[in-house]
Amino acid sequence: MNRKTRVAVLYGGKSGEHEVSLKSAASVLRHIDRERFEPVPVSIDKQGRWQCHELRRIDAASGDSLPILADSPAIRLEPRGRRTAILPTEATAPAIEPVDVVFPVIHGPLCEDGAVQGLLELAGAAYVGSGVLASAIGMHKDIAKRLAGLAGLPIAPYLALSRRDWRRSPAGAAEAARERLTLPVFVKPCNMGSSVGVHKVKRWEDLDGALTDAFQYDTEVLVEQGIDAREIEVAVIDGDPPVASVASELNAGPQHEFYSYEAKYIDQDGASIDLPAKLDAGEMARVRQLAVDAFVALECSGLARVDFFLDRKSGAFFFNEINTLPGFTAISMYPKMMEASGLPYPALITRLIELARERHAERAALKTDYAG
């Protein structure tokens, strides 16, 4: 009988999206194929402590969110041949069998921005999702837009401001925005997800207050041209070539001016979703190709959700951002778009684990020294 593949389901994290991760990971544990895979729950708490939990206890305790059990052993990771060892930090803790793959089900800063991916590389782990470079680029909205633009993707006008320059000359920042952009504008922290710190500014006198709030979350902030646009999303899964799902459309409720954090997570009636999006055949083909183009241009691996604006007046698509570890509950948009495209949620989990192992094997075969 073949040994099951041991999959560390990594959840939690030092991020404002910690609670979203607990929900995503609970969904993965419920739907992973237990005939093929043996899940190993591994958490990062809000203080950054790593722990490994007994699957039996997690299964017994989990509901819509995975718990982090305080008495589970703290751990560290290290390479162990083609596998990754999970080693308790206390000598008296029981031994833990190495894992074959890490499935990071974590979101936000210090989770999907390359920080954890770098640690997993050092630990020699096969892991689901993009590597260090693409993860860092995807989280950094300014750099992602620059590179996407260089690759030929359409980008709406925007201005990037550093906190240092803004503090030195708030009036200069406002003047630069007025010279390049027209009202309304959107103010966004550069490295945050889930619409945290995002503001729609309709009057220039309100810009400084929006920047003050946004700079609480990041040292770089974008001021983007507001567009009368529809919000279109596409899921992409790796392959040769990568494959894009059918697109979906997010419609903020009339009580919200845009798809804000409150519309996403607090207001149960904050938004409605059209899946598939109400696009004609040409528009659907166009946005799916743009999503694959963005995935390739930004060196992504495994999976990504690519977000676009569709200008209601001109019919033009604009690349907005890419999310390299999107929300992963069974009702999150990435799995839902994949399911609508013929890849059900359990099969999606399996395929992502297979892709992680394929990528790891390919990279492991590369030479690491020069023999002359």
Side-chain angles (χ1 to χ4, degrees), residues 27-270:
S27 190
V28 169
L29 274 193
R30 278 196 301 273
H31 292 91
I32 194 169
D33 183 355
R34 303 264 181 125
E35 295 296 318
R36 293 186 57 183
F37 305 114
E38 180 183 352
V40 181
V42 176
S43 67
I44 307 172
D45 69 16
K46 291 183 177 181
Q47 289 69 48
R49 181 176 183 244
W50 290 56
Q51 295 171 269
C52 185
H53 308 278
E54 288 185 41
L55 180 60
R56 173 184 55 81
R57 296 180 66 198
I58 292 294
D59 279 342
S62 67
D64 291 337
S65 297
L66 284 198
I68 294 179
L69 306 175
D71 59 344
S72 292
I75 60 163
R76 60 184 176 86
L77 308 180
E78 72 173 37
R80 187 66 57 84
R82 289 291 183 94
R83 306 178 78 192
T84 302
I86 298 178
L87 303 176
T89 57
E90 297 180 11
T92 56
I96 302 167
E97 184 184 345
V99 298
D100 301 288
V101 182
V102 178
F103 196 140
V105 195
I106 49 181
H107 315 298
L110 297 178
C111 293
E112 59 179 299
D113 60 1
V116 166
Q117 288 73 20
L119 186 149
L120 295 174
E121 291 283 354
L122 288 171
Y127 59 93
V128 170
S130 289
V132 175
L133 177 64
S135 299
I137 290 170
M139 180 61 76
H140 197 289
K141 295 182 177 67
D142 179 24
I143 300 300
K145 286 178 184 289
R146 290 194 223 177
L147 292 178
L150 286 173
L153 277 84
I155 307 295
Y158 76 98
L159 174 69
L161 297 173
S162 72
R163 185 161 60 186
R164 182 189 307 172
D165 290 344
W166 171 69
R167 284 175 171 171
R168 185 184 300 121
S169 177
E175 182 179 353
R178 285 195 297 268
E179 288 177 356
R180 299 190 196 183
L181 308 171
T182 58
L183 291 171
V185 296
F186 282 89
V187 174
K188 301 179 179 180
C190 192
N191 281 285
M192 286 296 292
S194 293
S195 302
V196 173
V198 176
H199 298 267
K200 184 177 182 179
V201 176
K202 300 179 180 179
R203 305 182 308 162
W204 288 121
E205 52 265 41
D206 297 331
L207 177 63
D208 194 65
L211 289 171
T212 298
D213 182 62
F215 275 123
Q216 293 186 83
Y217 300 100
D218 200 0
T219 58
E220 185 175 350
V221 163
L222 303 189
V223 184
E224 297 180 344
Q225 179 62 62
I227 301 172
D228 181 14
R230 298 161 62 185
E231 296 195 43
I232 307 295
E233 298 185 342
V234 182
V236 180
I237 190 166
D238 211 348
D240 187 15
V243 177
S245 72
V246 296
S248 65
E249 180 172 358
L250 302 174
N251 307 289
Q255 67 275 34
H256 300 279
E257 291 203 66
F258 63 98
Y259 195 45
S260 63
Y261 185 92
E262 288 75 16
K264 286 183 182 181
Y265 298 121
I266 297 175
D267 184 354
Q268 292 185 350
D269 300 314

